Amino acid sequence: MANSHITPLLLTTLVLPLSAIAEPEYDDYGQSREAETAGDFATDIASITSDRGIVTRPGRLTLEPSFSHAHSNSTVVAIEGFTVIPALLVGLINISEIQRDIFVTALSLKYGFTSRFEAALRVPHLSINEDLRERQAFQGTPVDTVRESTGRGLGDVELSLRYQLNDGLDGMPYIISVLRVKPPTGEGPYDVEQRVIEDSEGNPIGIELRERPTGSGFWSVEPGFSFIYPSDPAVLFGNLSYVWTVEEDQGIENGGEVDPGDVVRFGFGMGFAFNERTSFSLGYDHSVIRETTFEQDNNNLLDASFSRIQVGSLSFGLSQRLSNSTSLSLTVSVGVTDNAPNSEITLKLPISL
């Protein structure tokens, strides 16, 4: 008789925990807690070197102040003359050394509308210092001259929309589609004062900008994809995008309609967490920039000698979670191609509200 009373109670005790374990928890927007936790972990690692993270949680606003410094140093040798024998040159040699420092202070805002869709806005402010040391062109003088130019102001504002295509469960990577739009809010190269450089005979040999431009001067649209694949204890990530730069008429004196050239971008890398607060990331980013074309080539003084430019950089960074809503990341990038900045340091402080 006693067993008939104990059996229902025992069954009830066993069934309740099993049902609690079998059914996953969901938030108010239908996303599982497991997906949220895994997504936050993957986002912290993938976003160290670049903005590749999973979309922001619905209803959450993220503020991200950032600061970066990029340094470039290049040397150009120009020779005007002829060789008598392979070891003897008759003519003039012009050697120019350029040092450029770019400081960028930016504020980014991200807001998650749903568990799969977010919008972001980035407002940068640039400060550019450039020094040019050279021997006077086409003159036989041993004296070096140094010229300085600067540029300060608002850069090109960036608006981006990101949509997460899946939840990244059952061994599948997170796949996020991205659309970025940049209006020419900064001062472009055709907005600043220019000076035509001439040789000793009065022939134009180039154009010098009085100030450094803080923007591109053209509209650009960049669709692309990024993926994040958690593979405990590491996280693999990558991205692929295409930048379409809208051509614009800059006047007859600047070559008519100017097309700055489109860009193909891709990157990949991996990262892992030392513990719950500290993580490390290593990545590579590459851009293939097509040459700028002009409607009237005969007026073009800036015609590139190559059909494309390769810009590649290797990045590594650290991220430290300061609290549940704040983290601090430091990234160092080193250029591996001639056209990439020699070094770049970026500091970011994302704060979730």
Side-chain angles (χ1 to χ4, degrees), residues 113 134 245 263:
F113 290 93
E134 64 176 352
T245 307
V263 184

Side-chain angles (χ1 to χ4, degrees), residues 259-273:
D259 185 357
D262 298 339
V263 184
V264 177
R265 291 177 177 170
F266 63 90
F268 54 87
M270 65 169 294
F272 57 90

Side-chain angles (χ1 to χ4, degrees), residues 34-258:
E34 179 186 356
E36 279 192 357
T37 303
D40 290 345
F41 171 76
T43 295
D44 289 342
I45 296 179
S47 298
I48 297 178
T49 57
S50 183
D51 187 12
R52 301 187 181 94
I54 301 171
V55 298
T56 306
R57 290 187 185 182
R60 173 177 293 185
L61 176 65
T62 301
L63 305 178
E64 185 180 279
S66 63
F67 173 80
S68 66
H69 168 240
H71 175 75
S72 301
N73 190 323
S74 61
T75 302
V76 179
V77 179
I79 300 176
E80 183 181 84
F82 58 92
T83 56
V84 179
I85 57 176
L88 178 62
L89 171 68
V90 179
L92 299 176
I93 301 177
N94 180 43
I95 302 178
S96 302
E97 181 181 4
I98 302 175
Q99 291 189 358
R100 182 183 297 110
D101 292 284
I102 303 177
F103 301 88
V104 181
T105 303
L107 177 63
S108 300
L109 304 176
K110 300 179 182 179
Y111 183 78
F113 290 93
T114 68
S115 60
R116 293 178 179 267
F117 177 72
E118 77 166 20
L121 177 68
R122 182 176 182 270
V123 182
H125 182 276
L126 280 72
S127 177
I128 306 173
N129 299 320
E130 182 175 289
D131 296 331
L132 172 63
R133 183 178 66 178
E134 64 176 352
R135 298 286 176 89
Q136 294 185 8
F138 309 111
Q139 295 184 14
T141 174
V143 180
D144 290 338
T145 60
V146 178
R147 290 180 292 173
E148 299 180 358
S149 62
T150 60
R152 291 179 177 84
L154 179 68
D156 289 342
V157 175
E158 177 182 308
L159 174 64
S160 61
L161 304 175
R162 289 154 44 90
Y163 183 79
Q164 185 174 318
L165 301 179
N166 62 346
D167 289 330
L169 300 178
D170 300 327
M172 294 294 295
Y174 296 93
I175 302 177
I176 301 100
S177 59
V178 185
L179 177 64
R180 294 187 179 93
V181 178
K182 283 187 178 183
T185 55
E187 198 172 30
Y190 296 101
D191 299 327
V192 299
E193 185 180 355
Q194 301 179 0
R195 183 179 72 87
V196 178
I197 303 176
E198 300 178 346
D199 59 12
S200 57
E201 299 180 357
N203 300 316
I205 58 175
I207 293 179
E208 180 185 31
L209 302 180
R210 300 284 189 179
E211 299 179 0
R212 296 296 96 192
T214 59
S216 63
F218 297 86
W219 281 84
S220 65
V221 180
E222 180 181 2
F225 290 90
S226 62
F227 76 89
I228 302 174
Y229 183 70
S231 179
D232 192 31
V235 174
L236 307 179
F237 51 83
N239 63 277
L240 175 64
S241 63
Y242 183 88
V243 183
W244 173 52
T245 307
V246 183
E247 59 273 9
E248 187 175 335
D249 189 359
Q250 300 294 340
I252 299 177
E253 66 279 4
N254 293 316
E257 190 173 83
V258 180

Side-chain angles (χ1 to χ4, degrees), residues 291-312:
E291 65 175 335
T292 301
T293 58
F294 297 80
E295 182 182 9
Q296 301 178 7
D297 293 335
N298 55 341
N299 292 332
N300 177 24
L301 299 178
L302 297 175
D303 189 17
S305 57
F306 299 103
S307 60
R308 63 185 63 88
I309 298 176
Q310 308 287 339
V311 180

Side-chain angles (χ1 to χ4, degrees), residues 336-348:
V336 297
T337 60
D338 292 338
N339 294 287
N342 294 48
S343 63
E344 183 174 0
I345 300 176
T346 303
L347 187 67
K348 297 187 295 184

